[in-house]
Amino acid sequence: MASATPRLLSFLFTPLRLTYPIHAIRTSHRSRTLSFLSFNLRRPNGRLRTVSSFASNGTNGMERMGQKDEERYDVIVVGGGHAGCEAALASARLGARTLLLTLNLDRIAWQPCNPAVGGPAKSQLVHEVDALGGEIGKMADRCYLQKRVLNLSKGPAVRALRAQTDKREYAMEMKKVVESNSNLFIREAMVTEVLIGKNDNIQGVRTFFGMDFFAPSVVLTTGTFMSGKIWVGRASMPAGRAGESASLGLTENLQSLGFETDRLKTGTPARVDCRSVDFSGLEPQYGDEEVSWFSFDPECHIEREQMCCYLTRTTSETHKLIRDNLNETPTYGGWVDAKGPRYCPSIEDKIVRFRDKESHQIFLEPEGRTVPELYVQGFSTGLPERLQLALLRTLPGLENCVMLRPAYAVEYDFLPAYQCSRSLMTKKIEGLFFSGQINGTTGYEEAAAQGIISGINAARHSEGKPVIVLERESSYIGTLIDDLVTKDLREPYRMLTSRSEHRLLLRADNADSRLTPLGREIGLIDDRRWDLYQSKQLRIKEEKERLKNVRVSGGEFAAEVATVSGQPVRDHTTLESILKKPHVQYKLLDKHGFGNENLSKCEKDCVEIDIKYAGFIMRQQSHLQQIVNQEHKRLPEDLDYYSMTTLSHESREKLSKVRPQTIGQASRIGGVSPADITALLIWVESNRRKANQRTQQELLRSGATDNHMAASSPTDSVVQATAI
Amino acid sequence: MASSLIRLLLPWRQPKPHHLFPFSLNPTKTSFLFHLRRCQASTSSPKRLILTQDERSKGSLSTEREAIVGSGTIAAIVTSLGGGPAAVGIVRISGPTAVAVAGQVFRPVKRWKEEGGCVAWRPKSHFVEYGYVLDNDGNVIDEVLAVPMLAPRSYTREDVVELQCHGNDVCLHRVLRACLEAGATLAEPGEFTLRAFLNGRLDLSQAENIARLISAKSAAAADSALAGIQGGFSSLVKSLKIQCIELLTELEARLDFEDELPPLCLPSLIDKISVMRHDLQDALDTANYDKLLQSGLQIAIIGRPNVGKSSLLNAWSKSERAIVTEIAGTTRDVVEANVSIHGIPAMLLDTAGIRETDDIVEKIGVKRSEAAALAADVIIMAISAVDGWSEGDAKLIEHIVTSQKSANQAMTAPMILVINKDDCKPKDLLVSFEEICSGLFKKVVRTCALTGAGISELEKAVLEVRGLEPISSAGRKWTVNQRQFEQLLRAQEAFFRLHTSIEEQLPMDFWTIDLREAALALSQISGDDISEEVLTSIFSKFCIGK
């Protein structure tokens, strides 16, 4: 408790202090509209809106508002999954009065599918969310059952951490965190409607039971719940997940506002009772002896006992049973046509598509320390329940297994994310944000990554601050969002390392040095984390200096380096150039007493990577810089592409639909050719100049007749026009 | 307090602070105007753009960064090509590294003599300098005037260097290629003007003309690209690209789905890579031949003094271009003559006879002969049938071969042995030395410069050794434009780096970087996007799932 209190205090105060430089400068142009005053007065009071700012709500809003203060919030987050929790926490931590609405309080941060966090590309997302000050990494570090580093020898950029997690513990821990924030209010509710103001701005949400909650920012994270429908064989029922009711009505409401919706499908395999499984003949998969961590916060680095996973395989019997019953599956029987993810095909898909493969790997993963459930990874199916047990029992080790939950598929509504800008705010409705599966992604990590960005931006928007955009090149989060909003995706999107063009620069080990300064500036990194971060960077820097200057000659060390690397070691070689040799790791320096004891393992890794791959990293950096200079040219958001006759018809159509924010985004849209991009550049530039000339002339004219105040009014109109 | 925080926060967003706060504290009218303009120029909304900033790599990169800001350096021949030979042709380089690129290929005569050419070129803007353009191996390509025009006092408002070369297509293409090899990229049609426009150098009415021009030109470029992509070249590039993507698929699938796939067979993968590298080299060689077709051959005639080199040149070019006497060492300088070999333009270079000499003038001539031999596409070694294969000949050829090697040329020019004065030879001798030199020489031809006998055989031999057989063999004939050539070169460089990565036993992820680069370069030729292709390939090839 003693240690917890100062932390709490610092949390409460740092965002305030930190944001002052921003206010000081930002407010300068607003001071003339008097918002400067109200802004600062409101700040200590939990930022309650002034009555005047609600005057435009209409009489209905006014009445409700006058009666109950607590129905007004700064941010409302709809949905309590991995996106929702991250969004609500980020928003609340930034000082916004935040309301989290969820269908079921007991299913906060539930892991309905694979009880695992991380993996290639996904672990980078988790590290990045943590570096910004998010929660998912800490949760996975607290609740892991097993941890493994994948791709250990394949290069620093693709090295990935994966944790099996205790799904009950995970949900409970997250609930505690969410409940303990004084800015965050939780309520069970089904949102059926979003409330829209006169200027196409969000005003709040309406629930099934007729409650209205008001806020200038609303984040929708509906997961698989919007018009969700689950399938087992031919039988289906409306549900967001097995045993939980779907959310009905919201889709129609969003459609009536002009949003395009579409349908996606995903599935989850059966769970079996681990007490009924014979593990004796199965290949065990143990966790790493030396545990790695998602979070950069050492406070979460508490080792726990690990559990074991097991590997089994499909047999010819499995394949025969499936082939004989193909017409009983939704896809091949033809009664479900929503698109499932290519990354998690059902077992019948695998057997049909990879006919010549005799056997497929199946992993048995524990779901928790206190539950007997085993997750049968790689075995999701659309077969009817009566066939599922027989199918499971064709697997070695599962001959006598007991099935606890059948496998099922779920269909749900999503909103193709070209309708959002990169801040995750929708282009149609100001203040409305989408995150998670509603944007067509799959995976907890992808959801959390979007959640933290929409949470930050929702809070900033409610406060009148500019929203934040992570560029594609800056992070996997940026890549994810850029892909979502530019590519017209029609299948669930999973993050993969191959989606990032410059993944060598977006590693797990440098996620903090890429994003923590931003997290600090936003206000999500407290003093303690910031001090930790800075001293870590300092140690790494000093160590790199040291390695550059210390030279060694001959001796046992040089001999071993020569054998390990297969390269001769010259006299007076610096430790830096020794570390650059193939297969020479920092460990070898440690072994011979040339290491630095003050560094943690993770810091040594950083030093090693920075030195060993410096050439490659530099090359990628300069490559990236060239691209960035070209691609970050911004496009006005109100461009009339149809009037640009120099563009091809196809790209006029595509560009009008996606409305890219930068030239780079435009070039990534399918069907837009390099020639179109050139034409676009020219069009934009010439129009910019025309507009510039016009405003200059107008200003000169008005400046000649009017006084200083008159000249200032166009300032505000520019701000408003461009902020939409 | 606030200032210390700003200092804390600022380092990582130094590059674009004005994006964050587009409005100043003091909104007077002038500053407002300024900000309005800047606001519109750089950001259209008050959004904050977060660029990649990795604190850890910042220190080492800051200097590097400054050098590479901008959108790359471009180069192109800006005078008209293909017409008759003009007196002067210009290669223009524009972009942030224009001076560095020019500095790599251009050696001012003054400094070259004084400092050995190892100091970076620091030109004074708008001051003409005289010097040489060198290729990668340090061979002189042309003597030029360099006109540096530093930003913003230039056509594009970037650093511009114009190299005024001799107005010969061969020279211009070589100079351009040297610039490309030094790191410039080939300018798109109209790109100089586009840059001039984007950098605010041209006015609006001009801009609209450019728009029309460029859309027309890119359509034309697309057409010509299509035309070029027919036949053998296209199928070769396609197959190489498909192989790249297959390999990428294998590697990437293992990176994203490690425990669901069987381990990779590395030796076979490495074999595949070296086969591809070889194929690509073949493609480049063919492209090189193709370049020869377009830009012509340079044929150097070398040999000991008085074996009849000049007579050969005269006989070949049907002119009295070179002075012919009985005196050994008559030719002191390189004499040029243009001929056409079955429609392919060729330039014959008659050189001074190579021998040990004390005559200063002749010494220089000998040096020039050697230089000409090194830069030539075909070397004709002339000997006299009267003397037969002498020791001097052996020494001379050895010298040429070693200097070729030391220049480290990727492709050594093929050599042809010409036995001149065929009319007055002892017949039996010939058979033996034809055998001796068959390793060094691709062809042996007997000629008589006096009667012109054997010249047509020589022409045939020249075409043959350069793979330019007049018989059209469908498989190896294609035309490659400069743009396609550049991409092939880029792919080849990527393969070279990939090879190094494998040799240095770098982890697999690093292989994908250059493999991807190669695939990208190849796909630029055919014009498609590879990232989705790799993914699609992964999912169709491997069984992956939860």
Side-chain angles (χ1 to χ4, degrees):
Chain A
M1 193 56 217
S3 70
T5 320
R7 231 189 321 140
L8 192 67
L9 281 175
S10 65
F11 238 134
L12 282 170
F13 285 108
T14 46
L16 266 171
R17 266 187 302 168
L18 236 188
T19 41
Y20 268 130
I22 301 176
H23 295 174
I25 303 169
R26 277 265 326 152
T27 46
S28 60
H29 69 280
R30 312 181 119 252
S31 56
R32 271 170 277 110
T33 63
L34 289 177
S35 62
F36 180 72
L37 269 176
S38 55
F39 195 59
N40 272 350
L41 283 175
R42 258 189 278 136
R43 195 84 180 87
N45 298 340
R47 306 193 309 179
L48 285 173
R49 293 271 96 82
T50 53
V51 177
S52 66
S53 70
F54 276 92
S56 61
N57 284 354
T59 46
N60 189 20
M62 279 284 273
E63 275 166 34
R64 285 165 190 274
M65 212 57 48
Q67 286 160 4
K68 282 181 181 174
D69 261 359
E70 67 266 27
E71 287 172 0
R72 287 192 258 132
Y73 297 89
D74 295 320
V75 173
I76 296 172
V77 177
V78 180
H82 301 273
C85 286
E86 213 66 69
L89 282 171
S91 154
R93 284 168 180 168
L94 292 178
R97 229 172 98 86
T98 307
L99 174 68
L100 176 65
L101 295 173
T102 173
L103 285 168
N104 185 345
L105 267 179
D106 299 321
R107 286 286 184 274
I108 292 225
W110 193 244
Q111 297 179 309
C113 196
N114 200 340
V117 170
K122 286 167 172 270
S123 68
Q124 273 91 328
L125 284 175
V126 176
H127 290 298
E128 287 178 359
V129 171
D130 185 77
L132 281 175
E135 201 61 32
I136 186 171
K138 294 181 186 176
M139 295 305 306
D141 282 343
R142 263 181 231 147
C143 308
Y144 73 93
L145 298 173
Q146 186 198 77
K147 275 195 179 178
R148 284 176 63 208
V149 174
L150 312 174
N151 288 339
L152 195 56
S153 61
K154 291 180 187 163
V158 293
R159 213 169 280 166
L161 176 61
R162 187 171 62 203
Q164 302 297 326
T165 50
D166 186 321
K167 79 169 169 192
R168 273 166 208 275
E169 192 186 4
Y170 192 101
M172 263 158 28
E173 286 293 317
M174 186 63 107
K175 197 178 171 205
K176 273 188 220 160
V177 174
V178 171
E179 282 168 348
S180 62
N181 190 306
S182 57
N183 275 333
L184 183 50
F185 305 86
I186 314 172
R187 178 89 69 99
E188 258 187 15
M190 183 200 285
V191 170
T192 53
E193 228 177 281
V194 291
L195 306 172
I196 306 299
K198 278 186 187 137
N199 301 319
D200 276 350
N201 58 315
I202 195 91
Q203 290 195 323
V205 296
R206 179 163 295 159
T207 70
F208 184 80
F209 296 121
M211 280 294 290
D212 287 355
F213 298 97
F214 293 94
S217 299
V218 170
V219 185
L220 291 187
T221 70
T222 53
T224 59
F225 281 77
M226 254 184 1
S227 309
K229 192 178 195 182
I230 64 170
W231 291 85
V232 179
R234 271 174 205 280
S236 71
M237 63 188 277
R241 294 193 282 245
E244 290 176 70
S245 71
S247 155
L248 301 170
L250 190 53
T251 307
E252 290 72 16
N253 177 238
L254 290 172
Q255 280 170 341
S256 74
L257 294 173
F259 284 104
E260 183 200 345
T261 67
D262 200 354
R263 234 156 145 70
L264 285 177
K265 184 195 90 170
T266 186
T268 188
R271 310 298 200 273
V272 296
D273 190 329
C274 69
R275 293 165 297 187
S276 65
V277 176
D278 175 16
F279 294 109
S280 59
L282 301 182
E283 187 187 315
Q285 269 208 320
Y286 300 103
D288 289 342
E289 272 180 30
E290 194 174 5
V291 180
S292 309
W293 306 97
F294 286 109
S295 177
F296 292 100
D297 186 350
E299 242 174 41
C300 305
H301 300 179
I302 300 161
E303 284 203 39
R304 8 168 62 204
E305 196 188 329
Q306 299 199 48
M307 290 177 79
C308 188
C309 296
Y310 293 88
L311 176 63
T312 183
R313 316 191 121 265
T314 58
T315 60
S316 55
E317 280 168 75
T318 323
H319 292 219
K320 184 174 181 302
L321 190 84
I322 284 173
R323 270 197 295 269
D324 291 348
N325 294 288
L326 265 186
N327 58 349
E328 301 263 14
T329 65
T331 317
Y332 297 94
W335 65 84
V336 169
D337 55 356
K339 292 131 217 126
R342 287 182 292 181
Y343 341 100
C344 353
S346 58
I347 187 70
E348 51 264 23
D349 267 355
K350 294 190 202 177
I351 283 164
V352 170
R353 281 177 49 211
F354 301 94
R355 211 172 284 277
D356 46 345
K357 208 170 169 198
E358 279 173 20
S359 176
H360 296 271
Q361 285 186 329
I362 304 293
F363 292 92
L364 301 176
E365 299 168 353
E367 291 217 299
R369 292 176 197 275
T370 53
V371 289
E373 281 153 274
L374 270 185
Y375 180 91
V376 188
Q377 203 235 28
F379 213 61
S380 79
T381 178
L383 281 172
E385 191 167 352
R386 69 189 154 79
L387 291 170
Q388 286 192 17
L389 184 61
L391 191 67
L392 283 167
R393 288 186 168 178
T394 62
L395 301 175
L398 274 71
E399 291 89 348
N400 300 307
C401 73
V402 173
M403 184 167 77
L404 295 172
R405 304 167 192 251
Y408 68 89
V410 58
E411 264 190 295
Y412 55 96
D413 287 334
F414 81 107
L415 285 92
Y418 70 81
Q419 300 171 100
C420 292
S421 61
R422 287 179 298 166
S423 59
L424 293 177
M425 193 195 287
T426 58
K427 294 172 184 170
K428 280 209 170 66
I429 308 291
E430 192 204 330
L432 178 62
F433 297 80
F434 292 160
S435 273
Q437 276 166 309
I438 192 173
N439 280 337
T441 60
T442 159
Y444 316 135
E445 303 82 354
E446 287 85 346
Q450 295 167 64
I452 192 166
I453 296 300
S454 62
I456 290 169
N457 282 335
R460 291 178 72 90
H461 175 258
S462 75
E463 208 179 348
K465 285 186 188 171
V467 291
I468 282 191
V469 170
L470 289 189
E471 289 295 341
R472 181 181 186 85
E473 302 80 18
S474 72
S475 54
Y476 274 88
I477 301 178
T479 311
L480 167 77
I481 294 175
D482 187 70
D483 273 349
L484 289 179
V485 303
T486 45
K487 297 185 176 161
D488 197 2
L489 302 160
R490 298 289 157 159
E491 68 165 343
Y493 179 100
R494 169 176 165 181
M495 200 66 223
L496 299 163
T497 61
S498 38
R499 294 196 195 271
S500 165
E501 291 84 357
H502 298 95
R503 66 176 171 222
L504 185 59
L505 303 176
L506 308 183
R507 303 181 309 273
D509 66 88
N510 71 355
D512 59 343
S513 48
R514 284 184 284 127
L515 294 173
T516 298
L518 173 65
R520 173 71 173 174
E521 206 219 343
I522 293 168
L524 286 175
I525 298 291
D526 60 17
D527 286 345
R528 184 186 60 88
R529 276 285 291 272
W530 184 240
D531 289 345
L532 282 170
Y533 166 76
Q534 285 188 310
S535 56
K536 176 184 169 186
Q537 299 309 318
L538 188 67
R539 277 196 298 278
I540 292 173
K541 199 176 154 219
E542 285 173 351
E543 177 64 1
K544 286 198 285 194
E545 273 308 302
R546 185 184 75 89
L547 295 178
K548 209 179 265 177
N549 295 320
V550 176
R551 292 171 185 276
V552 289
S553 295
E556 252 177 63
F557 178 54
E560 186 164 353
V561 168
T563 33
V564 167
S565 65
Q567 290 180 359
V569 181
R570 268 179 289 164
D571 279 357
H572 307 294
T573 309
T574 59
L575 288 176
E576 184 186 42
S577 48
I578 283 181
L579 204 51
K580 275 183 191 260
K581 291 181 184 290
H583 302 299
V584 177
Q585 294 180 316
Y586 195 97
K587 265 186 261 174
L588 197 68
L589 268 62
D590 277 337
K591 186 181 161 190
H592 292 271
F594 290 104
N596 184 342
E597 283 168 11
N598 299 329
L599 263 62
S600 70
K601 178 183 170 283
C602 148
E603 287 158 2
K604 288 173 185 172
D605 280 347
C606 294
V607 170
E608 185 183 319
I609 290 165
D610 282 358
I611 289 179
K612 212 175 195 62
Y613 308 113
F616 268 92
I617 291 172
M618 289 261 273
R619 187 150 65 85
Q620 292 272 296
Q621 286 271 22
S622 62
H623 197 225
L624 184 128
Q625 196 61 37
Q626 287 190 0
I627 290 174
V628 163
N629 285 326
Q630 282 172 354
E631 294 199 340
H632 285 196
K633 286 215 171 80
R634 298 187 54 87
L635 291 172
E637 303 192 2
D638 52 350
L639 274 185
D640 179 10
Y641 293 102
Y642 282 108
S643 70
M644 298 186 201
T645 46
T646 40
L647 295 178
S648 74
H649 282 286
E650 189 191 359
S651 58
R652 274 184 242 176
E653 216 165 273
K654 290 272 171 66
L655 287 164
S656 311
K657 187 174 176 186
V658 175
R659 306 220 140 264
Q661 290 171 305
T662 64
I663 284 288
Q665 276 189 304
S667 68
R668 283 189 288 275
I669 298 169
V672 178
S673 74
D676 292 329
I677 295 298
T678 314
L680 198 58
L681 268 177
I682 292 174
W683 206 95
V684 169
E685 175 65 14
S686 48
N687 264 35
R688 188 190 68 78
R689 288 193 201 176
K690 273 181 199 159
N692 232 9
Q693 280 179 356
R694 222 178 298 130
T695 42
Q696 269 177 33
Q697 281 165 359
E698 275 169 25
L699 271 168
L700 286 173
R701 230 177 291 134
S702 65
T705 51
D706 276 341
N707 61 8
H708 181 74
M709 280 304 283
S712 68
S713 61
T715 327
D716 290 318
S717 70
V718 169
V719 174
Q720 278 159 16
T722 51
I724 293 166
Chain B
M1 182 65 211
S3 71
S4 73
L5 272 169
I6 286 179
R7 195 154 30 79
L8 267 179
L9 296 170
L10 272 178
W12 63 276
R13 53 170 158 77
Q14 251 159 4
K16 289 192 168 184
H18 63 270
H19 278 199
L20 306 181
F21 314 119
F23 296 90
S24 82
L25 281 160
N26 182 18
T28 60
K29 201 151 65 178
T30 45
S31 82
F32 161 66
L33 259 173
F34 167 73
H35 279 297
L36 183 68
R37 218 170 302 145
R38 161 164 289 182
C39 189
Q40 287 180 336
S42 46
T43 57
S44 62
S45 69
K47 258 167 206 158
R48 305 210 324 206
L49 304 179
I50 309 304
L51 294 171
T52 298
Q53 291 287 306
D54 181 351
E55 282 221 324
R56 262 158 53 198
S57 59
K58 213 172 51 186
S60 57
L61 265 168
S62 53
T63 48
E64 197 76 4
R65 278 254 171 91
E66 277 165 29
I68 47 167
V69 164
S71 30
T73 297
I74 52 172
I77 300 168
V78 290
T79 43
S80 74
L81 277 175
V88 175
I90 296 174
V91 172
R92 181 186 286 154
I93 313 164
S94 171
T97 60
V99 171
V101 168
Q104 265 192 58
V105 299
F106 176 71
R107 292 286 177 283
V109 167
K110 237 195 268 167
R111 194 154 310 139
W112 199 16
K113 278 184 184 154
E114 284 165 11
E115 299 158 35
C118 24
V119 189
W121 186 48
R122 277 200 206 85
K124 196 173 166 195
S125 190
H126 295 78
F127 270 75
V128 179
E129 284 192 69
Y130 165 70
Y132 298 105
V133 169
L134 311 181
D135 67 10
N136 246 352
D137 311 317
N139 300 315
V140 173
I141 301 174
D142 197 6
E143 48 180 342
V144 301
L145 292 176
V147 187
M149 288 162 275
L150 303 185
R153 287 175 59 209
S154 73
Y155 179 56
T156 57
R157 289 213 170 151
E158 300 170 325
D159 283 353
V160 169
V161 178
E162 286 188 353
L163 299 173
Q164 303 189 351
C165 316
H166 287 113
N168 166 319
D169 285 9
V170 184
C171 282
L172 284 168
H173 276 116
R174 285 183 185 213
V175 170
L176 175 61
R177 190 171 305 172
C179 294
L180 297 183
E181 278 167 355
T185 48
L186 190 68
E188 303 282 330
E191 197 175 352
F192 289 112
T193 313
L194 175 65
R195 286 190 177 200
F197 167 66
L198 290 179
N199 293 331
R201 175 73 169 63
L202 302 177
D203 68 21
L204 266 176
S205 60
Q206 283 170 301
E208 267 143 26
N209 289 332
I210 299 161
R212 223 168 299 137
L213 179 84
I214 288 193
S215 54
K217 274 207 174 172
S218 37
D223 285 349
S224 67
L226 269 182
I229 287 181
Q230 278 155 7
F233 181 65
S234 143
S235 64
L236 182 104
V237 168
K238 251 188 208 146
S239 101
L240 275 174
K241 192 190 84 185
I242 289 169
Q243 286 180 57
C244 277
I245 285 175
E246 268 175 16
L247 287 183
L248 266 177
T249 304
E250 293 279 344
L251 294 171
E252 300 269 4
R254 258 91 189 167
L255 298 175
D256 272 321
F257 305 96
E258 188 199 24
D259 42 45
E260 294 171 52
L261 295 171
L264 207 57
C265 173
L266 282 188
S268 80
L269 199 79
I270 292 167
D271 279 354
K272 261 188 211 164
I273 289 172
S274 58
V275 168
M276 286 170 64
R277 206 176 151 214
H278 189 249
D279 285 355
L280 196 64
Q281 186 60 52
D282 270 2
L284 261 177
D285 287 352
T286 315
N288 269 326
Y289 294 143
D290 179 65
K291 293 313 297 173
L292 290 178
L293 275 177
Q294 290 175 13
S295 56
L297 288 167
Q298 284 209 28
I299 303 170
I301 307 172
I302 57 164
R304 287 185 301 115
N306 214 7
V307 291
K309 298 181 294 295
S310 300
S311 327
L312 191 63
L313 176 111
N314 284 348
W316 202 343
S317 61
K318 299 188 183 71
S319 68
E320 294 297 322
R321 192 76 184 73
I323 302 163
V324 179
T325 66
E326 289 298 317
I327 306 158
T330 304
T331 309
R332 294 292 181 89
D333 204 345
V334 176
V335 177
E336 298 172 3
N338 287 312
V339 294
S340 162
I341 306 174
H342 295 275
I344 297 164
M347 186 188 281
L348 301 181
L349 302 170
D350 178 27
T351 64
I354 297 173
R355 63 169 175 183
E356 299 278 323
T357 173
D358 291 333
D359 185 334
I360 298 171
V361 180
E362 198 179 348
K363 250 189 182 168
I364 296 171
V366 168
K367 261 208 180 132
R368 290 196 175 178
S369 302
E370 287 172 7
L374 283 181
D377 300 310
V378 176
I379 297 172
I380 290 178
M381 163 86 179
I383 61 168
S384 159
V386 183
D387 307 338
W389 183 255
S390 71
E391 212 171 291
D393 291 320
K395 248 189 198 165
L396 193 156
I397 204 73
E398 201 181 310
H399 183 69
I400 292 288
V401 168
T402 47
S403 56
Q404 259 184 351
K405 269 187 192 146
S406 67
N408 203 14
Q409 277 167 317
M411 236 181 30
T412 54
M415 290 191 280
I416 297 172
L417 181 66
V418 166
I419 303 156
N420 200 15
K421 306 186 183 174
D422 192 43
D423 45 338
C424 37
K425 44 112 220 238
K427 257 208 167 113
D428 49 328
L429 255 173
L430 283 176
V431 189
S432 63
F433 65 61
E434 268 180 34
E435 276 169 15
I436 296 169
C437 344
S438 61
L440 278 169
F441 298 105
K442 292 250 172 83
K443 278 270 161 189
V444 178
V445 181
R446 287 168 219 187
T447 58
C448 175
L450 284 179
T451 60
I455 294 287
S456 67
E457 280 84 0
L458 183 56
E459 287 189 344
K460 237 181 247 164
V462 167
L463 295 183
E464 218 170 293
V465 295
R466 294 271 14 178
L468 300 168
E469 298 93 340
I471 323 109
S472 73
S473 53
R476 269 176 75 79
K477 264 202 126 179
W478 57 61
T479 56
V480 177
N481 61 30
Q482 191 77 37
R483 200 170 313 281
Q484 293 163 338
F485 182 80
E486 192 196 354
Q487 297 304 333
L488 280 181
L489 207 66
R490 192 177 139 205
Q492 191 208 23
E493 279 164 11
F495 266 101
F496 177 74
R497 286 192 302 261
L498 174 61
H499 188 72
T500 330
S501 296
I502 293 174
E503 269 186 350
E504 286 177 4
Q505 298 173 319
L506 279 165
M508 215 153 73
D509 183 31
F510 292 92
W511 305 10
T512 64
I513 292 175
D514 288 311
L515 206 50
R516 194 170 271 267
E517 172 88 24
L520 269 174
L522 292 168
S523 67
Q524 286 257 308
I525 297 176
S526 51
D528 26 38
D529 178 27
I530 62 153
S531 60
E532 263 313 300
E533 241 175 286
V534 173
L535 279 184
T536 315
S537 170
I538 290 179
F539 295 122
S540 58
K541 201 160 171 195
F542 299 107
C543 178
I544 287 148
K546 62 174 161 185

